[in-house]
């Protein structure tokens, strides 16, 4: 017998409630709203209590829990005042309503990581009929409203949409919001409606009551624009409002600070995504920004010249202006005045995760940005920030270490930096004392390595039985050591660099699916606000000596550390204050920082290695490599730091494939100047939120036979034999790519590689094994998130590698992974233009 349920279906009930909402029938409460708008809404309590705000209001014993008769409406009238100007009419408790339409030109894709039309002006987008345009301002306002009213399913949808649209045209708006700024006024010129499309008649607008929002205060929110006379053409409304440091950097007597609006972990999550994006793409954007500014200056000069000669130009002459404008760049202001403020410029450039080749390139980049801003005038408070940037944000000791060779060119580079004078201020960028101190520090480190390979420091007071090891230089101290040697007043003239502990964290979207739980349920507000950057499980790497910290401590990422950009650099007093247990390790030597990039990962065969360029640091050669690992039907990427033998051949490094290069006008700058071809990078978003759980392991792989056995450890640590030849572990395509083909039209071998380059080696570390800490930060393909692997000091023998394999690297962004765990043919892979970018921080102990 077939049983049949009687009564209306859930869809029928939802449609009934929505119809009652549209018609205002059977309403039992009237909400009189005052805020950025003033209106009366006739609503239903049973629907409103979906919101935590109204549930508490109507059921927790407040005065509103008892129905009362209001005046004029015949309904129970409740007055609600929204002091937050970011809160607008965006709330969809009744279901239904117009579908939201996000402009496709704002969404990064795997093939177009900087949005589809970038760097050109996006095409005009026509919003479909009965759809509501979900502009960046609308999405931020929707998030602010739903957080205040405690509506988790709407807040999660808004957050997902925001994170999926982080790009060049939205990053500063989103960052401003994360820092407590205002979303901006409604842009009626762009066609953004005041009320939801199709719901204009739902609210009874109160025209005669003044708004609680002081519009003038919103317009003055950007203190930078208010206090600095600026060319309006330079200030783009979509990117100029930054509030975090304006009130500090440009505060004047009598100026009032604008109110700040922060939404807890959700604001921080948006800030993390923006910081990650700036770290990955900042260097690329500057080149385009400079081109656009030069083109604008050239066009202005031509226009002035044309006006002067207009009377002499023949009437039949034609111009290519229309054609040229089609090719004009449309790059938002990021680095120049009107974009990031000085403190954020300094924070991004000095960040360990900033994707820049090395310290010399970091110096050149900082110089370009500062001179770009100085073109619009000198700002004293900015100049103070630039002094700190050139003093502390660039590690000259490692920059000059690359130059300490026997060639004259190296000395010329040192002289160049010491005599490099700003064309604007006529002053050097770096004081001679800073260069001399860096040179002296590098000389001391060289002496420690070549003349004193065994440490003679006194045993740590925190571990009296600990004896120095030959693999350690003895150049680190614990916080307890510092306390024992510190005088009554700490010497803050000394800079300390924190030695990391084992950890794996996700910065940015964190891999969480904000649209719901794994079981298909809706996230609660508590779940939505829970932010744990740690990946599970943490790395299982044993260290050479006992870890001074019993468990990884992951510090929450907030605006105080520029959402994870600020490097772990401390003064003596701040180091002591940060470690109450006295067990952190500190070094007075800055770590070595460099960036690597890997291409065509979908063509990499299992167990083959794709290497980066090789660098020299502190007497040893290092490089990184990528491997594809398949285990139990799952494809994972592994990334490893490798101590290269100085007597074996240097492996060729990953390079863009000539078959996937773009035209010069569309190409972004290449990391490796040795590679003359350009490449069109591709972003990542097919799977914006991978599963909640990740598998991460940290070990030294032993994929190839070892000439000597090592006792296995319970943690799964393995070791590559120091005598193993790196050539045996290279991808099969590498050797083929370096040979000369007899064919007239050779087929490019993938992954493509550049010719190996051996870096200069001023001296060599005589020790067979060293102890080093390192951090590898891998950016997602679109740049809105970052996976950061940190390792406390590990033992590196010559030819040994340490690293991680992890599903958190989002293999699907760089390879076409099939359901069975295999990868498709490289010719048909949709992600073949994506590159994996990583930054490495490396230091000896």
């Amino acid at each position: 017998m077939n049983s049949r349920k009687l009564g209306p279906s859930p869809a029928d009930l939802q449609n009934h409630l929505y119809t009652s909402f549209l018609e205002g029938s059977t309403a039992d409460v009237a909400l009189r709203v005052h805020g950025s708008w003033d209106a009366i809404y006739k609503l239903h309590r049973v629907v409103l209590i979906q919101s935590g705000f109204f549930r508490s209001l109507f059921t927790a014993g407040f005065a509103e829990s008892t129905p009362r008769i209001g005046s004029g409406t015949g309904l129970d009238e409740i007055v609600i005042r929204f002091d937050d100007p970011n809160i607008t009419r965006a709330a969809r408790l009744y279901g239904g309503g117009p579908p939201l339409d996000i402009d496709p030109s704002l969404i990064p894709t795997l093939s177009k990581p900087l949005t589809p039309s970038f760097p050109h002006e996006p095409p005009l987008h026509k919003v479909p009929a009965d759809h509501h345009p979900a502009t960046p301002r609308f999405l931020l306002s929707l998030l602010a409203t739903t957080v205040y009213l405690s509506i988790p399913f709407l807040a999660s949808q808004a957050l997902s949409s925001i994170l999926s649209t982080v790009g060049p045209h939205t990053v500063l708006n989103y960052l401003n919001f994360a820092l407590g700024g205002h979303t901006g006024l409604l842009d009626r010129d762009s066609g953004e409606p005041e009320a939801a499309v199709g719901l204009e008649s739902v609210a009874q607008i109160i025209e005669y009551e003044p708004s609680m929002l002081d519009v003038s205060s919103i317009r003055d929110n950007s203190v930078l624009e208010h206090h600095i006379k600026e060319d309006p053409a330079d200030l783009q409304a979509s990117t100029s409002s930054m509030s975090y440091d304006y009130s500090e950097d440009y505060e004047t007597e009598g100026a009032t600070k604008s109110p700040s609006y922060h939404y807890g972990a959700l604001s921080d999550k948006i800030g993390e995504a923006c910081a990650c994006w700036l770290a990955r793409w900042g260097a690329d954007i500057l080149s385009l920004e400079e081109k656009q500014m030069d083109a604008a200056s050239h066009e202005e000069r031509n226009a002035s010249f044309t006006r002067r000669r207009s009377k002499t130009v023949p009437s039949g002459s034609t111009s290519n202006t229309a054609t040229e404008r089609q090719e004009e760049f449309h790059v938002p202001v990021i680095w120049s005045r009107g974009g990031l403020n000085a403190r954020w410029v300094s924070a991004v450039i000095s960040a360990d995760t900033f994707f820049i080749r090395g310290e010399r390139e970091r110096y050149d980049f900082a110089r370009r940005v500062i001179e770009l801003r100085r073109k619009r005038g000198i700002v004293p408070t900015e100049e103070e920030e630039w002094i700190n940037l050139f003093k502390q944000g660039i590690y000259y000791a490692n920059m000059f270490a690359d130059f300490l060779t026997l060639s004259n060119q190296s000395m010329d580079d040192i002289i160049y930096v010491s005599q490099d004078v700003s064309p604007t201020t006529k002053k050097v960028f770096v004081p001679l004392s800073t260069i001399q101190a860096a040179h002296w520090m590098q000389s001391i480190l060289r002496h420690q390595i070549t003349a004193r390979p065994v440490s003679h420091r006194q045993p740590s007071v925190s571990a009296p039985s600990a004896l120095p090891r030959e693999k350690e230089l003895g150049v680190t101290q614990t916080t307890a050591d510092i306390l024992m040697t510190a005088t009554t007043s700490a010497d803050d003239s000394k800079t300390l660099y924190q030695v990391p502990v084992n950890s794996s964290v996700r910065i940015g979207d964190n891999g969480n699916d904000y649209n719901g739980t794994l079981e298909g349920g809706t996230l609660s507000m508590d779940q939505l606000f829970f932010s744990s950057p740690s990946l599970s499980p943490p790395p299982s790497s044993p260290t050479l000596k006992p870890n001074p910290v019993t468990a990884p401590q992951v510090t929450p990422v907030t605006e105080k550390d520029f959402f994870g950009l600020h490097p772990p650099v401390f003064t003596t007093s701040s180091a002591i204050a940060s470690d109450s247990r006295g067990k952190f390790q500190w070094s007075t030597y800055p770590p070595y920082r460099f960036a690597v990039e890997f291409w065509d990962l979908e063509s990499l065969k299992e167990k083959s290695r794709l290497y980066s360029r090789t660098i020299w640091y502190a007497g040893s050669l290092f490089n990184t490599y990528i491997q594809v690992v398949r285990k139990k039907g799952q494809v994972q990427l592994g990334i490893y730091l490798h101590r290269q033998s100085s007597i074996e051949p240097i492996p060729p490094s990953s390079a863009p494939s000539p078959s996937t290069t773009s035209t010069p006008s569309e190409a972004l700058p290449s990391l490796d100047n040795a590679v003359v071809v350009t490449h069109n990078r591709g972003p990542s978003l097919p799977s914006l939120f991978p599963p909640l759980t990740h598998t991460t392991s940290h070990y030294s792989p032993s994929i190839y036979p070892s000439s000597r056995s090592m006792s296995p450890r319970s943690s799964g640590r393995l070791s590559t034999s120091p005598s193993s030849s790196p050539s045996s572990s290279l991808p099969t395509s590498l050797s083929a790519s370096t040979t000369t083909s007899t064919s007239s039209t050779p087929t490019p071998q993938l992954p493509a590689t550049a010719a190996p380059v051996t870096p200069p080696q001023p001296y060599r570390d005589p020790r067979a094994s060293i102890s080093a800490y390192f951090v590898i930060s891998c950016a997602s393909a679109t740049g809105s998130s970052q996976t950061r692997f940190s390792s406390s000091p590990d033992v590196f023998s010559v030819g040994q590698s340490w690293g991680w394999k992890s599903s958190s690297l989002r293999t699907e962004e760089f390879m076409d992974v099939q359901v069975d765990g295999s990868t498709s043919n490289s010719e048909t892979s949709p992600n073949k233009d994506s590159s994996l970018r990583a930054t490495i921080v490396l230091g000896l102990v």
Side-chain angles (χ1 to χ4, degrees):
M1 179 179 178
N2 294 331
S3 60
R4 187 175 182 181
K5 294 183 179 180
L6 301 178
S9 66
D12 294 332
L13 289 175
Q14 190 275 331
N15 185 60
H16 169 71
L17 290 172
Y18 188 64
T19 302
S20 299
F21 166 65
L22 293 178
E23 297 175 353
S25 61
T26 66
D28 56 3
V29 63
L31 295 184
R32 180 180 288 265
V33 175
H34 298 288
S36 59
W37 81 110
D38 300 277
I40 297 176
Y41 295 86
K42 298 178 181 180
L43 304 173
H44 307 81
R45 288 173 179 261
V46 69
V47 176
L48 290 177
I49 61 173
Q50 295 178 89
S51 156
F53 175 86
F54 288 111
R55 186 185 306 112
S56 297
L57 190 67
F58 294 146
T59 64
F62 293 101
E64 289 79 6
S65 301
T66 303
R68 62 185 187 278
I69 303 300
S71 58
T73 62
L75 301 175
D76 185 11
E77 185 173 290
I78 297 174
V79 177
I80 297 180
R81 299 184 184 277
F82 294 122
D83 294 329
D84 184 350
N86 291 333
I87 295 177
T88 62
R89 311 181 195 188
R92 305 162 69 88
L93 285 173
Y94 281 81
L100 299 182
D101 178 74
I102 300 178
D103 190 339
S105 65
L106 297 178
I107 303 176
T109 65
L110 279 175
S111 59
K112 299 291 184 180
L114 290 172
T115 66
S117 61
F118 189 84
H120 304 294
E121 186 170 2
L124 182 64
H125 173 63
K126 183 178 181 180
V127 179
D130 301 328
H131 283 59
H132 189 93
T135 63
R137 190 208 65 84
F138 172 86
L139 294 175
L140 294 174
S141 179
L142 178 62
L143 181 64
T145 306
T146 53
V147 168
Y148 185 93
L149 296 178
S150 186
I151 312 174
F153 66 92
L154 287 178
S156 62
Q157 293 174 16
L159 181 60
S160 294
S161 298
I162 291 169
L163 294 178
S164 69
T165 53
V166 176
H169 298 287
T170 60
V171 63
L172 291 195
N173 271 353
Y174 289 166
L175 181 59
N176 179 54
F177 176 84
L179 296 172
H182 185 253
T183 59
L185 298 173
L186 184 71
D187 186 8
R188 293 182 176 85
D189 293 338
S190 65
E192 184 178 0
E194 291 190 38
V197 173
L199 303 179
E200 295 85 357
S201 61
V202 169
Q204 178 185 340
I205 302 299
I206 305 174
E207 300 289 352
Y208 57 86
E209 292 192 12
S211 171
M212 298 296 295
L213 177 64
D214 184 1
V215 177
S216 62
S217 66
I218 297 178
R219 296 184 184 275
D220 289 341
N221 192 43
S222 174
V223 182
L224 176 64
E225 186 175 355
H226 181 71
H227 290 297
I228 298 177
K229 186 176 181 180
E230 183 62 271
D231 184 355
D234 259 358
L235 303 176
Q236 298 194 9
S238 62
T239 58
S240 63
S241 179
M242 290 287 294
S243 66
Y244 176 61
D245 289 317
Y246 287 0
S247 58
E248 295 179 12
D249 291 350
Y250 304 99
E251 184 176 359
T252 59
E253 184 178 356
T256 58
K257 294 184 179 181
S258 299
S260 178
Y261 303 93
H262 194 266
Y263 308 93
L266 301 188
S267 288
D268 292 340
K269 189 56 58 181
I270 296 172
E272 291 175 24
C274 295
C276 291
W277 190 94
L278 291 169
R280 190 193 201 277
W281 296 113
D284 302 288
I285 295 297
L286 177 61
S287 299
L288 299 174
E289 199 171 330
E290 289 174 327
K291 277 188 175 181
Q292 179 172 265
M293 181 170 288
D294 291 343
S297 299
H298 180 70
E299 184 176 348
E300 184 178 350
R301 290 193 299 268
N302 286 347
S304 176
F305 179 76
T306 302
R307 286 193 297 269
R308 290 197 303 267
R309 300 193 58 190
S310 58
K311 296 182 179 181
T312 62
V313 176
S315 58
S317 63
T318 60
S319 173
N320 295 327
T321 302
T323 305
E324 292 173 356
R325 285 181 178 174
Q326 294 178 0
E327 302 300 324
E328 285 181 355
F329 284 160
H330 183 73
V331 182
V333 173
I334 300 291
W335 294 105
S336 57
R337 202 75 54 69
L340 290 169
N341 61 36
R343 290 193 64 187
W344 266 89
V345 167
S346 181
V348 174
I349 295 176
S350 60
D352 289 347
T353 56
F354 184 51
F355 189 79
I356 199 78
R357 180 182 174 89
E359 295 301 328
R360 173 58 194 270
E361 290 76 12
R362 193 185 301 265
Y363 168 83
D364 291 336
F365 184 89
R367 186 186 188 280
R368 289 164 57 196
V369 170
I370 291 170
E371 288 305 309
L372 183 68
R373 296 173 74 94
R374 284 174 174 171
K375 288 181 178 179
R376 298 297 181 182
I378 303 296
V379 180
T381 48
E382 280 196 354
E383 294 303 309
E384 295 176 6
E385 196 65 47
W386 307 149
I387 292 174
N388 293 330
L389 170 61
F390 281 108
K391 182 180 180 180
Q392 300 178 350
I394 302 170
Y395 300 163
Y396 300 100
N398 295 326
M399 188 169 103
F400 297 149
D402 291 337
F403 302 154
L404 295 179
T405 62
L406 299 178
S407 66
N408 292 330
Q409 180 62 41
S410 61
M411 196 61 191
D412 290 342
D413 289 328
I414 298 178
I415 295 174
Y416 165 75
V417 175
S418 65
Q419 298 180 351
D420 187 18
V421 176
S422 166
T424 307
T425 64
K426 310 303 180 184
K427 298 179 181 179
V428 293
F429 291 95
V430 186
L432 183 59
S433 59
T434 300
I435 298 175
Q436 291 171 336
H439 193 282
W440 174 250
M441 178 178 292
Q442 185 57 227
S443 301
I444 295 298
L445 180 62
R446 175 174 181 168
H447 176 75
Q448 290 270 20
I449 294 171
T450 58
R452 298 176 57 204
V454 180
S455 172
H456 296 291
R457 71 167 184 170
Q458 295 296 322
S460 172
V461 295
S462 59
S465 60
L467 296 176
R469 301 172 183 265
E470 290 190 10
K471 303 176 184 64
E472 299 180 19
L473 294 173
V475 296
T476 61
Q477 296 176 285
T478 65
T479 310
D481 295 333
I482 298 174
L483 280 169
M484 290 294 293
T485 58
T487 59
T488 54
S489 59
D491 180 13
D492 281 344
S493 63
K494 181 185 296 183
T495 301
L496 297 177
Y497 304 88
Q498 185 177 358
V499 176
V501 297
N502 289 331
S503 67
S504 300
V505 300
R506 164 78 74 175
I507 306 296
D509 63 58
N510 197 19
N512 288 331
D513 187 351
Y514 299 107
N515 290 315
T517 64
L518 290 177
E519 295 77 20
T522 301
L523 293 174
S524 66
M525 289 304 293
D526 289 339
Q527 289 173 312
L528 199 58
F529 273 86
F530 176 73
S531 177
S532 176
S534 296
L535 300 176
S536 177
S540 57
S541 169
T543 57
L544 184 60
K545 58 184 177 181
N547 195 332
V549 180
T550 57
Q553 294 185 347
V554 180
T555 303
V557 176
T558 66
E559 62 182 73
K560 292 182 179 179
D561 67 348
F562 298 92
F563 299 113
L565 288 178
H566 198 280
V569 180
F570 295 76
T571 61
T572 301
S573 59
S574 62
I576 294 173
S578 68
D579 182 17
S580 59
R581 295 188 296 174
K583 294 185 177 181
F584 286 169
Q585 285 184 287
W586 308 91
S587 174
T588 56
Y589 295 96
Y592 191 94
R593 305 184 293 188
F594 64 102
V596 297
E597 190 164 15
F598 299 95
W599 309 87
D600 303 311
L601 299 186
E602 77 285 343
S603 302
L604 184 62
K605 296 182 179 180
E606 186 177 8
K607 297 184 179 181
S608 294
R609 298 182 181 182
L610 182 60
Y611 281 86
S612 71
R613 63 188 176 94
T614 299
I615 61 97
W616 176 91
Y617 167 63
S620 298
L621 296 176
F622 293 92
N623 49 44
T624 57
Y625 63 85
I626 289 285
Q627 278 186 325
V628 177
V629 182
R630 292 179 176 85
K631 186 178 181 180
K632 297 181 181 180
Q634 184 181 22
V635 180
Q636 293 181 327
L637 283 179
I639 185 166
Y640 307 94
L641 179 66
H642 175 70
R643 188 186 180 196
Q644 176 69 36
S645 171
S646 59
I647 61 175
E648 293 180 350
I650 300 295
S653 59
S654 178
S657 170
S659 62
T660 57
T661 56
S662 61
T663 60
S665 63
E666 298 175 343
L668 295 176
S670 177
L671 174 69
D672 195 341
N673 294 331
V675 181
V676 295
V677 293
T678 55
H679 196 280
N680 185 18
R681 302 184 179 89
S684 62
L685 264 200
S687 175
L688 181 62
F689 302 109
L692 287 171
T693 58
H694 298 284
T695 57
T696 305
S697 58
H698 174 203
Y699 67 103
S700 183
S702 181
I703 295 177
Y704 300 95
S706 176
S707 61
R708 62 187 178 102
S709 62
M710 298 187 69
S711 300
R713 306 197 181 193
S714 59
S715 62
R717 177 188 181 188
L718 301 174
S719 178
T720 301
S721 167
S723 61
S724 299
S725 172
S727 60
S728 64
S729 61
L730 298 179
T732 54
S733 63
L734 296 185
S735 58
S737 65
T738 57
T739 59
T740 303
S741 174
T742 57
S743 173
S744 59
T745 56
T747 301
Q749 296 290 333
L750 299 178
T753 57
V757 177
T758 303
Q761 302 177 61
Y763 62 91
R764 293 184 181 179
D765 192 330
R767 298 173 297 167
S769 298
I770 61 175
S771 182
Y773 66 86
F774 61 100
V775 179
I776 301 178
S777 302
C778 302
S780 65
T782 53
S784 61
S785 66
Q786 184 184 103
T787 304
R788 190 175 301 173
F789 302 113
S790 303
S791 173
S792 54
D794 273 318
V795 178
F796 280 86
S797 299
V798 176
Q800 190 171 9
S801 306
W802 280 96
W804 291 261
K805 62 176 181 179
S806 175
S807 59
S808 66
L809 288 179
R810 292 185 176 178
T811 309
E812 74 278 359
E813 293 186 356
F814 310 102
M815 305 173 62
D816 186 16
V817 181
Q818 305 300 309
V819 177
D820 59 358
S822 62
T823 55
S824 68
N825 183 278
S826 61
E827 296 300 324
T828 60
S829 171
N831 306 335
K832 65 184 303 179
D833 288 344
S834 298
S835 66
L836 173 61
R837 287 183 166 185
T839 55
I840 292 88
V841 177
L842 171 63
L844 299 185
V845 299

